Amino acid sequence: MKGDCEGCKKPATIHLTEIFGGKKVEKHYCEGCPKLAGDALAAKSHTPINELLSNFVLQHSGAVRDAGTSCEACGITWAEFKQTGLLGCEHDYTVFERELNLVIQRAHEGAQHHVGKVPARRAAGAIVPKKKVDLARLRRDLAKAIEAEDYERAAKLRDQIRQAEG
Amino acid sequence: MKLSDFTTRSGEWLRGMGPHSEVVISSRIRLARNVSGERFCSKLDRARRADLEKRIRLAILAAELAPSMLYADLTQSVELERQLLVERHLISKPHAASEDPRGVAVSGDEQISIMVLEEDHLRIQVLRSGLQLDEAWEQISAVDDKLDDSLEFAFSKRLGYLTACPTNVGTGIRVSVMLHLPALKLTGDIEKVFRAAKDLKLAVRGLYGEGTEATGDFYQVSNQVTLGKVEEDIISDFRHTIIPRIVEFEQMARRTLLNERTHFLDDKVHRAVGLLRSARILTSEEVLFLLSHVRLGANLGRVRDVDVGLINELFLNTQQSHLQKVLGKRLDTEPRRIARAEYVRKKLGSAD
């Protein structure tokens, strides 16, 4: 037997090995122990975004402004976001646009523009509803052109998109 | 309808019906949405959280999303009920474990469920048996439209739907298909599926999603890229390319086992049947492992006296919380394992 449960000291049946900064830590739990659920959640939360942030964005930290900048609406700082992987409000996408662009492109295979569904309310309220559809198509074509490395076409499409966006 | 009524029926995800149901267990689409003008969940204090929970609850109940819609305030629920919802794939483990104001809405047929104030304000989900992604998209998009009418979701022209985590921004969509791949596991070819999925930027997870093991040979395949693609294209890739290929690969492995390794296959299948009919102590993990082999045997006609419907029922009812609900009593670990073995023997017919 490998020892007692971390949480309640009953005989342990579940054994986890975690690696923290190169050091191996063994943990033991009994089945269904609340401590196990808590520890597992803490360990697993937002692994992908944390990896993105630590492995990629930090290497490009030249692009990150001083850590003091915070969002007026929710008070979050970039440092806080890096820790949790979660934004505080919709305005953060504007406040931290530059920094987030790196994260977003990395997570979405280089994509920077939404081409999918638009809320019906918005589509209906637009001055020229058809323009929305065309814009979406232009962006799709642009993505395809970039993928095909047809940069001449991509440049044209980009100009068209800028014009359409007004 | 109450939360506790759910156990009397088999959940949508394990109904075992629908196209390709011998391999494809269920199709799921979820959309991440946030109410414009409100902070995201991590920056809401308790009072504002409670207000927003109420606002979203009223919007859901007023939207007439399904003939019958149950809404549960999870701060008023007991742990066993929340665990039941996790086992039925209606809420996530973190949503069950949280202590903050939050809720869940579930339609009577369990196809639609909405987690309120999880990581995003709303996590809308449609879950259907077998491979039914087009149907699921049509259904969830209509739910999304109705809720947007009253709640007005945060949306930007450039980035689309704005989510708490930038990995979900854009469409906010996650398409997940739950597959049963016992033959690929037995032949060892499952590793090839993992590698191919990684190349396609797809995630492969276990039975209960993020951070869970692939118990019972159940695997969830889902997209990770949510920006720069149209929803219909993401779904079409799953529907016409990704899933049919994995299904064919599994079917090939099953044929190989059946034609070239018949004794090996029969041994695995009948050992599983034998153990389930004889064991006196069973963990939930062992049951999943054994049922998986029995399900494979039943699908290939190697076990004739066990019905696939019964196997699906056992997959669900031997889970920790369902078992206690079905037996109508709370049980500690050891008595639960004994009761589980007893329940399985009763259902499958005891060996003695």
Side-chain angles (χ1 to χ4, degrees), chain A residues 79-139:
Chain A
E80 200 180 335
F81 165 69
K82 272 198 306 192
Q83 228 167 33
T84 62
L86 293 173
L87 294 166
C89 74
E90 60 196 288
H91 306 294
D92 298 346
Y93 281 98
T94 317
V95 177
F96 303 108
E97 186 178 355
R98 210 157 31 122
E99 294 88 333
L100 278 173
N101 269 344
L102 288 170
V103 181
I104 288 170
Q105 284 184 51
R106 186 74 176 175
H108 301 287
E109 297 184 314
Q112 299 185 61
H113 291 279
H114 176 60
V115 293
K117 182 174 176 177
V118 172
R121 155 181 59 85
R122 290 213 171 212
I127 306 162
V128 188
K130 206 169 175 297
K131 198 170 113 182
K132 279 277 176 199
V133 180
D134 290 342
L135 202 56
R137 173 164 305 148
L138 284 174
R139 284 183 183 140

Side-chain angles (χ1 to χ4, degrees), chain A residues 31 46 73 80 87-90 93 97 101 104 108-109 111-117 119 121-122 140, chain B residues 36-37 39-40 43 119 141 144-145 148 155 158 160 163-164 166-167 201 226-228 231 233 333 336-337:
Chain A
E31 193 195 64
H46 290 289
E80 200 180 335
L87 294 166
C89 74
E90 60 196 288
Y93 281 98
E97 186 178 355
N101 269 344
I104 288 170
H108 301 287
E109 297 184 314
Q112 299 185 61
H113 291 279
H114 176 60
V115 293
K117 182 174 176 177
R121 155 181 59 85
R122 290 213 171 212
R140 282 172 77 173
Chain B
S36 183
R39 288 179 178 189
F40 293 158
K43 283 285 176 186
E119 181 178 297
S141 188
D144 179 37
D145 289 339
D148 183 65
F155 182 87
R158 181 170 81 89
T163 51
T167 53
K201 234 178 161 15
T226 57
L227 184 69
E231 290 87 343
D233 290 348
T333 309
R336 194 163 64 227
R337 290 176 178 168

Side-chain angles (χ1 to χ4, degrees), chain B residues 23-40:
Chain B
V23 178
V24 183
I25 302 289
S26 62
S27 305
R28 178 163 71 136
I29 298 180
R30 77 107 166 95
L31 297 174
R33 296 290 187 254
N34 289 280
V35 178
S36 183
E38 298 279 354
R39 288 179 178 189
F40 293 158

Side-chain angles (χ1 to χ4, degrees), chain B residues 87-271:
Chain B
E87 288 174 9
R88 297 177 89 78
H89 293 265
L90 298 171
I91 65 172
S92 64
K93 284 186 173 182
H95 204 50
S98 158
E99 286 174 0
D100 296 322
R102 70 206 189 285
V104 65
V106 185
S107 68
D109 58 10
E110 293 181 53
Q111 285 187 350
I112 303 169
S113 70
I114 305 168
M115 284 193 279
V116 176
L117 304 185
E118 203 235 26
E119 181 178 297
D120 292 292
H121 294 159
L122 292 99
R123 285 285 177 97
I124 310 168
Q125 164 180 294
V126 164
L127 182 65
R128 298 176 72 116
S129 292
L131 188 57
Q132 295 195 64
L133 287 170
D134 295 337
E135 296 82 352
W137 169 242
E138 203 175 304
Q139 195 174 4
I140 201 167
S141 188
V143 171
D144 179 37
D145 289 339
K146 282 185 188 170
L147 292 172
D148 183 65
D149 276 346
S150 54
L151 291 171
E152 299 207 358
F153 295 139
F155 182 87
S156 113
K157 206 155 129 184
R158 181 170 81 89
L159 288 174
Y161 290 95
L162 301 176
T163 51
C165 182
T167 53
N168 294 317
V169 80
T171 53
I173 198 171
R174 175 162 288 161
V175 177
S176 309
V177 177
M178 177 86 75
L179 300 163
H180 186 227
L181 307 175
L184 287 173
K185 184 72 190 296
L186 284 174
T187 60
D189 284 333
I190 194 78
E191 289 299 324
K192 291 181 190 160
V193 175
F194 292 159
R195 280 203 295 275
K198 213 180 159 198
D199 289 344
L200 292 166
K201 234 178 161 15
L202 301 169
V204 181
R205 299 191 172 89
L207 189 53
Y208 293 108
E210 219 156 310
T212 63
E213 287 288 312
T215 31
D217 305 324
F218 287 114
Y219 298 87
Q220 268 186 70
V221 182
S222 51
N223 69 302
Q224 290 182 293
V225 174
T226 57
L227 184 69
K229 288 185 179 178
V230 179
E231 290 87 343
E232 282 89 350
D233 290 348
I234 296 175
I235 289 161
S236 168
D237 281 350
F238 271 84
R239 167 97 179 71
H240 299 289
T241 313
I242 300 162
I243 300 306
R245 282 190 195 164
I246 302 177
V247 168
E248 180 49 34
F249 199 31
E250 166 71 15
Q251 299 285 28
M252 234 166 63
R254 290 185 187 188
R255 281 196 297 273
T256 306
L257 288 174
L258 190 60
N259 299 329
E260 293 164 27
R261 301 175 70 190
T262 321
H263 291 299
F264 172 77
L265 171 71
D266 281 347
D267 184 61
K268 290 283 177 204
V269 170
H270 291 284
R271 268 173 194 270

Side-chain angles (χ1 to χ4, degrees), chain A residues 56-73:
Chain A
F56 180 70
V57 176
L58 297 186
Q59 289 166 19
H60 295 69
S61 50
V64 178
R65 76 191 85 184
D66 93 84
T69 310
S70 64
C71 168
E72 277 181 28

